Amino acid sequence: DINEQLDLQNEENESVLYGLASSLVRILYYVVLLLATGWIVWGTISKIEKAEIRTSFRQWAIYLQTALLITTIVMGIFQFVDLLDSWTLGGIFSILTGTTIGISWFLSMLLSISGFAILFRNNWLDRLWVFMLLAVKSVNGHSMAFEPPIRTISLDIIHLLAAAIWAGGLFFILIYWKKQKEHVQQFLLTFSQLALVSIFILIVTGVAST
């Protein structure tokens, strides 16, 4: 009886630790997703004239894209663990092709990888990449649980985009505040306006979704 109680307690502890790790990974993924997409959006809005800042901006984009790819992979592993009884090729394939979670994760992986090749060539292509990445994530979110899904998914995409613009702008200020204060001060003129609009959109879409 004592051994059974100890085994049960160990299983509960492992379950709690697994749940905590899964939640932390999801939080980290969302943070990186918002920073990466917001960073790319600001790259299409903000005019960066200094070559030094342009080079640094693209380098940070690569860092964020790499972090996004890694967190996407790790979150996918946690999702597969929850869905799979055994790690077989057939089981993995069935999830990738037959579940919303699997399809969304696979498309997110393709978009994350393709970003290294297609970004910073055309502003509209960059914006399309951001939209598609947020749309794929929204399909695999809580918005799919409510009717009509087209409305809730659309609200979720707009909500994530507003959050990305706000988060990406703040991250830009944080990165360049010390070494590029003059450029940041110019950036603040645009950011302050869009940040206010973003917060308003976040409130409206959040209330509408609720």
Side-chain angles (χ1 to χ4, degrees), residues 48-59 120 176:
I48 303 176
E49 298 178 355
K50 289 185 178 181
E52 177 187 354
I53 302 179
R54 280 201 305 270
T55 302
S56 173
F57 186 89
R58 294 194 177 191
Q59 190 62 54
F120 296 108
Y176 293 110

Side-chain angles (χ1 to χ4, degrees), residues 101-137:
I101 291 176
I103 295 171
S104 172
W105 179 82
F106 181 69
L107 292 176
S108 294
M109 285 291 296
L110 287 181
L111 287 167
S112 296
I113 295 171
S114 67
F116 291 98
I118 67 175
L119 291 177
F120 296 108
R121 297 178 183 275
N122 179 276
N123 283 344
W124 285 107
L125 184 60
D126 291 355
R127 291 164 186 163
L128 178 62
W129 181 84
V130 168
F131 173 80
M132 290 179 65
L133 193 60
L134 296 181
V136 166
K137 180 64 200 81

Side-chain angles (χ1 to χ4, degrees), residues 42 45-46 185-196:
W42 278 110
I45 298 174
S46 181
Q185 288 171 353
Q186 294 176 351
F187 174 80
L188 280 169
L189 297 175
T190 304
F191 174 73
S192 60
Q193 297 175 355
L194 287 181
L196 182 61

